[in-house]
């Protein structure tokens, strides 16, 4: 009876740990989101950009984009809440828009064309993956230094 | 007159028992003015290092209770923590969730390594410290094999920024920028320019409470019994081998957590060297706090981390002031760290020999009295 209880306790403990790990995998997924304010050609139509876009996340300004510019923000989770301050023309009225962008789990870097998004285009038009270019620094990167020295560094 | 003599004897015994912390207090008292650091800077540094290292030092207490001495194999837990962090870093889990996930991932690895270490230590009873020291060297080789050759082809690693340019193996440094100080900064408060990482201290407090509670449990009492005398414990029906394995296991798991907290504070992993000296310096810090091979408390861990790290912070600068070369201070702190471990081991051996000699004398006297009677 006691061993059965111990077994059950251990099983529940392991299941709880697995569940917590699964939750962490979902809520902790980090993304780097790049915001583009660039003109887009989609299915033969050209979509113009607003004059200025100011992007806020969590009440903080993360980017101020004029035509042809790119901004960046990092976020944790599966969606990104943004507040956009849109100025269509120079000297024009500012319009505040709140949006929630769903972010694909499998993408580390997500490029979002905000002007396309604001025109209600489908996801394939406004969202793409950002693939960083890894610069090779030469053979010295391959040299691995196992730490068996006696010095302490910054312990 | 007799009272005065008694007081002097007590004071002498107190000084003798706490010779290492007293020595370090003197070293720090001399070095602090020489270093020229402001009190707020020193306080800030000590608080940061307390948050960074105390968890690692506390993991050494349980094996000491169980009579295994100083667990040099805590490095195994540190390796488990590092492997977990590399994986979590590759999965791009950031912030607190990343730290929590790394801790969960490190548990099975730590358990496996702790089990292996405990089984080996059970075959080397009486020689646990030197055995655990060499287990850590052996496992370091295994760790390098896993990280250098298996990560990539066997254990999937996706990101090029983590992999070596040749396509497999992990780079010398893995960035933890996205989880850097995430635990330290959450709930952190600033008092007079000193940042207090409240959540980290809460975690340390939780571990301390766990240790206090654990000592009062049946398993904790068994460990104390095993630590005092294995034969008596065995006769009392305690499964000595299992108890010792559990103590190593808990120590390894806690060391894994400690390493994750340590590295999230640092903000990067030196893949091949972060763990290599961690056991040595955690042990040195505990000994500086007044612990011995067979007795250590939570208070020793806290005092040790303060004194050892205070010496760590001020020694290079004080060395530079005195000799004109900061490397003198560097060498001094390395010398002191290894020296304090050596002194503790010598004192332990001398105490054991003295106890054995006293027991022999008592036995001889008893035999003599029996013959006379």
């Amino acid at each position: 009876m006691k061993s059965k209880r111990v077994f059950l306790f251990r099983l529940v403990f392991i299941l709880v740990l697995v569940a917590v790990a699964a939750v962490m995998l979902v809520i902790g997924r980090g993304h780097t989101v790049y915001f583009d304010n660039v003109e887009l050609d989609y299915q033969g139509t050209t979509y113009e950009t607003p004059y200025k876009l100011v992007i806020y996340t969590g009440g903080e300004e993360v980017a101020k984009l004029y035509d042809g510019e790119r901004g960046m923000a990092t976020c944790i989770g599966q969606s990104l809440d943004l507040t956009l301050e849109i100025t269509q023309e120079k000297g024009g009225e500012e319009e505040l828009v709140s949006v929630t962008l769903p972010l694909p789990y499998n993408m580390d870097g997500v490029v979002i064309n905000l002007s396309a998004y604001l025109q209600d285009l489908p996801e394939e038009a406004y969202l793409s993956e950002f693939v960083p270019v890894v610069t090779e620094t030469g053979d010295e990167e391959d040299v691995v230094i196992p730490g068996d020295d006696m010095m302490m560094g910054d312990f | 007159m007799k009272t005065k003599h008694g007081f002097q004897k007590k004071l002498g015994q107190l000084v003798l028992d706490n010779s290492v912390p007293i020595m370090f207090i003197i070293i720090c008292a001399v070095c602090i003015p020489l270093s020229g650091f402001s009190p707020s800077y020193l306080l800030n540094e000590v608080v940061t290092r307390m948050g960074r290292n105390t968890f690692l030092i506390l993991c050494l207490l349980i094996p000491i209770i169980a009579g295994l001495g100083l667990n040099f194999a805590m490095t195994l837990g540190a390796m488990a923590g590092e492997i977990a962090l590399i994986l979590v870093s590759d999965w791009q889990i950031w912030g607190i969730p990343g730290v929590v996930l790394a801790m969960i991932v490190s548990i099975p690895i730590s358990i496996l390594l702790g089990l292996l270490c405990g089984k080996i230590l059970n075959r080397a009873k009486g020689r646990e410290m030197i055995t655990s020291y060499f287990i850590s060297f052996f496992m370091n080789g295994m760790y390098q094999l896993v990280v250098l050759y298996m990560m990539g082809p066997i254990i999937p690693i996706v990101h090029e920024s983590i992999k070596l340019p040749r396509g497999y193996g992990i780079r010398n440094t893995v960035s933890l920028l996205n989880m850097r100080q995430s635990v330290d900064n959450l709930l952190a408060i600033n008092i007079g320019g000193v940042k207090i990482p409240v959540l980290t201290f809460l975690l340390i407090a939780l571990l301390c409470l766990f240790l206090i509670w654990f000592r009062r449990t049946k398993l904790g009492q068994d460990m104390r019994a095993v630590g005092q005398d294995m034969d008596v414990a065995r006769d009392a029906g305690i499964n000595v081998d299992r108890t010792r394995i559990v103590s190593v296991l808990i120590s390894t798991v806690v060391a894994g957590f400690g390493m994750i907290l340590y590295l999230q504070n640092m903000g990067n992993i030196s893949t091949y060297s972060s763990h290599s000296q961690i056991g040595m310096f955690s042990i040195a810090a505990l000994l500086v706090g007044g612990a011995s091979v067979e007795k250590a408390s939570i208070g020793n861990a806290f005092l040790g981390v303060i004194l050892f790290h205070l010496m760590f912070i001020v020694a290079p600068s004080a060395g530079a002031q005195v000799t004109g070369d900061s490397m003198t201070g560097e060498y001094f702190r390395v010398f002191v760290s290894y020296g304090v471990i050596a002194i503790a081991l010598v004192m332990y051996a001398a105490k054991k020999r003295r106890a054995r000699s006293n027991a022999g004398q008592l036995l001889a006297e008893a035999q003599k009295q029996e013959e006379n009677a």
Side-chain angles (χ1 to χ4, degrees):
Chain A
M1 188 64 192
K2 196 191 169 193
S3 64
K4 199 178 169 186
R5 207 173 60 199
V6 169
F7 173 76
L8 270 175
F9 179 76
R10 284 178 185 168
L11 190 71
V12 169
F13 182 70
I14 291 168
L15 286 175
V16 167
L17 279 184
V18 171
V20 172
V23 170
M24 293 302 135
L25 275 169
V26 175
I27 65 166
R29 178 67 163 102
H31 302 274
T32 307
V33 185
Y34 299 90
F35 307 105
D36 279 356
N37 186 26
V38 292
E39 209 175 78
L40 179 79
D41 283 317
Y42 181 69
Q43 291 180 341
T45 314
T46 303
Y47 294 91
E48 297 289 328
T49 59
Y51 167 70
K52 188 175 82 175
L53 268 172
V54 185
I55 304 160
Y56 299 90
T57 59
E60 269 183 49
E61 184 185 313
V62 289
K64 187 189 275 184
L65 308 175
Y66 292 92
D67 182 33
E69 287 184 341
R70 170 175 280 184
M72 190 195 89
T74 54
C75 85
I76 300 177
Q78 296 308 293
S79 63
L80 176 63
D81 292 322
L82 294 177
T83 304
L84 305 171
E85 193 182 279
I86 308 159
T87 313
Q88 292 293 351
E89 288 166 9
K90 192 174 182 181
E93 286 269 310
E94 289 160 352
E95 184 193 351
L96 277 177
V97 180
S98 292
V99 294
T100 302
L101 293 166
L103 302 170
Y105 189 87
N106 59 341
M107 285 186 196
D108 295 336
V110 185
V111 183
I112 291 167
N113 190 318
L114 283 172
S115 50
Y117 178 80
L118 291 169
Q119 311 265 4
D120 286 333
L121 293 181
E123 193 180 279
E124 59 172 56
Y126 72 80
L127 192 143
S128 57
E129 185 172 6
F130 178 84
V131 183
V133 179
V134 177
T135 47
E136 299 299 335
T137 50
D139 290 341
E140 70 268 21
E141 268 295 315
D142 258 326
V143 178
V144 167
I145 311 146
D148 56 356
D149 58 335
M150 294 293 188
M151 299 305 285
M152 295 180 170
D154 188 21
F155 171 59
Chain B
M1 191 66 191
K2 203 177 174 185
T3 321
K4 199 181 172 187
H5 184 69
F7 174 74
Q8 275 178 346
K9 208 177 168 187
K10 269 185 185 172
L11 189 71
Q13 192 59 43
L14 190 78
V15 170
L16 202 69
D17 288 346
N18 298 290
S19 51
V20 178
I22 290 168
M23 190 178 76
F24 268 78
I25 288 169
I26 294 166
I27 291 171
C28 290
V30 172
C31 287
I32 288 170
L34 285 174
S35 70
F37 291 130
S38 68
S40 67
Y41 172 80
L42 285 176
L43 198 61
N44 219 344
E45 282 292 309
V46 168
V47 168
T48 305
R49 282 156 187 267
M50 269 180 84
R52 192 191 289 169
N53 294 290
T54 311
F55 218 90
L56 278 165
I57 297 165
L58 287 170
C59 86
L60 294 163
L61 297 186
I62 288 182
I64 292 176
I65 297 169
L68 288 148
L70 303 163
N71 181 21
F72 286 92
M74 66 168 280
T75 315
L76 271 58
M79 288 177 205
E82 276 177 31
I83 289 173
L85 275 173
I86 291 169
L87 292 174
V88 168
S89 194
D90 187 50
W91 300 338
Q92 292 284 300
I93 311 298
W94 296 357
I96 298 273
V99 174
V100 175
L101 186 63
M103 284 180 174
I104 294 172
V105 172
S106 78
I107 293 173
I109 308 170
S110 292
I111 288 177
L112 200 73
L113 294 173
L115 207 66
L116 177 81
C117 181
K119 292 229 177 216
I120 296 172
L121 293 184
N122 275 342
R123 289 172 184 272
K125 287 190 185 101
R127 297 280 181 277
E128 286 92 351
M129 281 190 284
I130 188 74
T131 311
S132 66
Y133 193 52
F134 277 88
I135 289 172
S136 71
F137 277 128
F138 162 67
M139 284 315 297
N140 190 27
M142 293 297 287
Y143 168 85
Q144 286 186 21
L145 182 74
V146 169
V147 174
L148 211 46
Y149 294 102
M150 290 184 181
M151 283 197 166
I154 298 168
I155 303 163
I157 298 291
V158 178
H159 291 90
E160 298 297 329
S161 58
I162 296 175
K163 270 191 288 193
L164 286 165
R166 67 184 183 200
Y168 61 92
I170 304 298
R171 285 176 191 260
N172 275 320
T173 308
V174 174
S175 171
L176 299 175
L177 202 65
N178 294 314
M179 58 176 90
R180 184 170 185 259
Q181 299 191 354
S182 51
V183 178
D184 299 331
N185 288 342
L186 192 75
L187 306 177
I189 52 169
N190 207 307
I191 301 171
V194 178
K195 187 182 135 192
I196 318 265
V198 176
L199 185 59
T200 314
F201 283 143
L202 277 175
L203 291 175
I204 292 166
L206 267 177
L207 179 60
C208 292
L209 287 175
F210 168 77
L211 290 172
I212 292 165
W213 167 79
F214 184 77
R215 277 186 203 191
R216 291 171 187 171
T217 60
K218 161 86 171 65
L219 189 60
Q221 296 288 342
D222 287 356
M223 277 183 195
R224 282 170 75 168
V226 170
Q228 275 160 15
D229 196 317
M230 266 190 276
D231 294 327
V232 173
R234 196 174 288 115
D235 291 343
I238 296 168
N239 188 340
V240 172
D241 286 357
R242 185 182 167 276
T243 310
R244 283 161 57 96
I245 288 175
V246 171
S247 77
V248 177
L249 227 141
I250 295 172
S251 174
T252 313
V253 171
V254 175
F257 291 174
M259 193 64 183
I260 290 164
L261 284 177
Y262 171 85
L263 289 172
Q264 67 82 37
N265 178 277
M266 299 291 272
N268 63 61
I269 312 173
S270 297
T271 314
Y272 302 96
S273 61
S274 278
H275 57 273
S276 60
Q277 299 294 329
I278 209 87
M280 190 67 77
F281 301 130
S282 298
I283 286 167
L286 187 66
L287 294 173
V288 165
S292 68
V293 173
E294 50 197 357
K295 200 176 167 214
S297 67
I298 293 167
N300 294 141
F302 279 97
L303 181 64
V305 80
I306 292 169
L307 289 177
F308 189 68
H309 284 280
L310 204 54
M311 189 271 295
F312 236 79
I313 300 157
V314 295
S317 192
Q321 289 290 329
V322 174
T323 63
D325 182 9
S326 65
M327 284 312 285
T328 312
E330 275 301 319
Y331 292 131
F332 175 70
R333 63 187 194 178
V334 174
F335 147 78
V336 166
S337 306
Y338 287 100
V340 77
I341 295 174
I343 289 169
L345 296 180
V346 169
M347 277 162 70
Y348 172 64
K351 205 174 164 187
K352 245 178 139 177
R353 202 179 305 131
R354 209 180 306 133
R356 221 178 294 150
S357 150
N358 287 345
Q361 272 177 2
L362 284 172
L363 192 70
E365 273 175 30
Q367 275 177 346
K368 212 173 175 183
Q369 277 173 3
E370 211 171 276
E371 279 168 14
N372 290 342

